[in-house]
Amino acid sequence: MKNLYDPITQPYLFFRNTAKAEKSLPLTYYHRHNAYEIYLFLNGSRKVCVENAAYICRPGDLFIIPPETFHAGICEEACEYDRIIMNIKPELIAEICEKGAQIGSCFEFDSEILIRRTHLSYHERKTVIELFEKFSEARKGSGYGDALLSDTYMLQFLIFVNHWFGRNDDFTKEDNVMPQLIRDVMDYINDSITEEITMEKLADRFHFHARYISRQFRDYTGLTIRTYILDKRIALAKRLLAEGCNVTKACWRSGFNDYANFLRSFKKYAGISPGRYKRAKKGQ
């Protein structure tokens, strides 16, 4: 199983990533974090995929993806691509808001909203780049006040982000360019996650050969269908455990029919046993 769960261990990360990508390869396989991802696309050819939706990126598009949301990047053509990203934990957002900085509105999501997008002008993009460069210089320094200064630049960025999202959320249903078959398979898996899901059932449901469905899914997402199902079941088990469900019930209610396999898969994915995960969530 690929490392689909990529936990952020620091309160926040702020970085720029410039790389060359090959055509049609996922730049990042589907994965999820325990933090928000603020993503500014600067240059290249790329789609951002979030759960069962995919959106074409334009230079200047600014996205926010909430914690624990399955997402990936798909390359449209061989090119250089450039992006600035901040991963920030919900606990830090709450702490900043408690101190009086009202930056939380752009981080409000519900079950119908899986991603936010707005578009920045050339001058707004330049503002972010300059702010990031100042942050990087302060982060590298070891002099008096450098650590506090870098945190100040991080806060400035969050204030700008909240302001930019305050004017509009730039999305319509027609923007979703995820191939219909991939979207339908993901929807079916999500709706049936507690039941037995086989390739034969998928073939009967969508009237394609099982091998074709499997190949299309893997080519687009970089994942096998089995891996996708396993991730979804563990994500559901984590939610059940956080809500107070005991380990045995979380196993069966998340679609696992083998308790030993559940314990093994959960620990491999989350890094800790289900019991320890439940206790950690209870202590928060």
Side-chain angles (χ1 to χ4, degrees):
M1 182 177 181
K2 297 181 186 301
N3 187 21
L4 304 186
Y5 183 57
D6 184 18
I8 306 300
T9 57
Q10 301 175 47
Y12 73 91
L13 300 174
F14 196 13
F15 59 96
R16 186 170 184 175
N17 190 329
T18 303
K20 184 171 180 62
E22 300 299 325
K23 182 178 180 180
S24 297
L25 291 175
L27 294 177
T28 52
Y29 290 107
Y30 267 90
H31 61 286
R32 60 179 86 237
H33 308 293
N34 55 344
Y36 291 96
E37 183 164 307
I38 307 170
Y39 174 101
L40 174 60
F41 183 70
L42 295 172
N43 190 46
S45 179
R46 181 179 173 90
K47 290 177 185 173
V48 167
C49 302
V50 180
E51 299 289 348
N52 66 346
Y55 303 100
I56 296 172
C57 296
R58 302 164 295 166
D61 278 351
L62 181 68
F63 299 88
I64 301 180
I65 302 170
E68 301 296 340
T69 302
F70 220 29
H71 62 284
I74 303 294
C75 186
E76 289 295 289
E77 60 186 48
C79 63
E80 296 283 343
Y81 78 97
D82 191 7
R83 57 184 176 160
I84 291 176
I85 294 176
M86 178 181 285
N87 294 116
I88 183 164
K89 287 191 173 181
E91 298 86 352
L92 181 55
I93 295 291
E95 181 182 327
I96 294 169
C97 291
E98 285 175 2
K99 293 178 179 177
Q102 299 306 311
I103 58 156
S105 61
C106 64
F107 298 103
E108 294 174 356
F109 289 81
D110 58 37
S111 59
E112 299 299 317
I113 302 175
L114 297 177
I115 185 173
R116 294 189 185 279
R117 178 181 69 182
T118 191
H119 189 76
L120 304 191
S121 68
Y122 169 79
H123 292 293
E124 289 167 339
R125 279 175 256 170
K126 191 175 178 182
T127 296
V128 176
I129 292 169
E130 290 173 351
L131 194 58
F132 174 76
E133 288 173 349
K134 290 177 181 178
F135 167 85
S136 297
E137 283 302 311
R139 204 68 167 177
K140 291 175 188 174
S142 57
Y144 178 76
D146 281 333
L148 182 60
L149 189 59
S150 64
D151 286 347
T152 300
Y153 293 133
M154 176 271 291
L155 286 170
Q156 283 185 265
F157 177 65
L158 292 179
I159 291 168
F160 283 131
V161 168
N162 198 65
H163 169 71
W164 289 324
F165 275 95
R167 62 194 178 195
N168 72 300
D169 241 343
D170 184 20
F171 265 137
T172 66
K173 290 184 178 179
E174 289 71 28
D175 290 331
N176 187 355
V177 295
M178 176 75 77
Q180 191 63 51
L181 176 60
I182 308 302
R183 195 186 312 181
D184 290 343
V185 169
M186 287 183 171
D187 285 343
Y188 175 81
I189 290 171
N190 290 329
D191 292 341
S192 310
I193 196 64
T194 60
E195 305 168 11
E196 183 185 24
I197 303 172
T198 65
M199 292 307 303
E200 290 74 17
K201 286 185 177 181
L202 291 174
D204 289 343
R205 174 85 176 191
F206 299 111
H207 310 293
F208 287 106
H209 194 283
R211 188 175 299 171
Y212 175 81
I213 295 173
S214 180
R215 185 172 65 249
Q216 292 296 309
F217 192 93
R218 184 164 191 165
D219 285 350
Y220 199 85
T221 67
L223 303 175
T224 66
I225 289 177
R226 180 182 178 278
T227 298
Y228 181 79
I229 292 170
L230 183 56
D231 171 85
K232 286 292 182 176
R233 285 180 171 157
I234 292 174
L236 175 55
K238 289 172 72 176
R239 187 162 67 249
L240 292 168
L241 291 167
E243 292 170 355
C245 193
N246 67 43
V247 174
T248 302
K249 286 183 179 179
C251 168
W252 306 123
R253 288 174 59 185
S254 57
F256 285 89
N257 56 13
D258 184 316
Y259 188 69
N261 180 47
F262 169 67
L263 296 178
R264 183 170 56 251
S265 298
F266 191 100
K267 186 170 184 180
K268 183 176 181 180
Y269 178 91
I272 59 175
S273 69
R276 286 184 60 195
Y277 181 85
K278 177 180 170 62
R279 289 191 293 275
K281 286 296 179 180
K282 187 177 180 179
Q284 288 183 353

